Amino acid sequence: MVVAVLADGGSSPPPRSGTVCVTQLGTCPMVESLPVGASCVCRTPDGEIGGVVD
């Protein structure tokens, strides 16, 4: 079995980023690009809803 280990961090690709926040109620666009999987918030007339960047 062969296992690759990235010791210097320079060999890995840059993290993917997204500009859409996905919540249980749908999606909303984001002003900034954040790493995929990061937490985000969509603002609605009823308040804020937490989600995940996609």
Side-chain angles (χ1 to χ4, degrees):
M1 180 167 92
V2 177
V3 177
V5 177
L6 302 175
D8 64 355
S11 300
S12 61
R16 293 185 328 139
S17 60
T19 56
V20 176
C21 185
V22 180
T23 73
Q24 292 180 344
L25 299 179
T27 63
C28 64
M30 300 183 342
V31 176
E32 293 184 24
S33 179
L34 294 174
V36 170
S39 297
C40 57
V41 174
C42 289
R43 290 187 174 91
T44 71
D46 296 325
E48 296 180 342
I49 301 170
V52 178
V53 177
D54 186 24

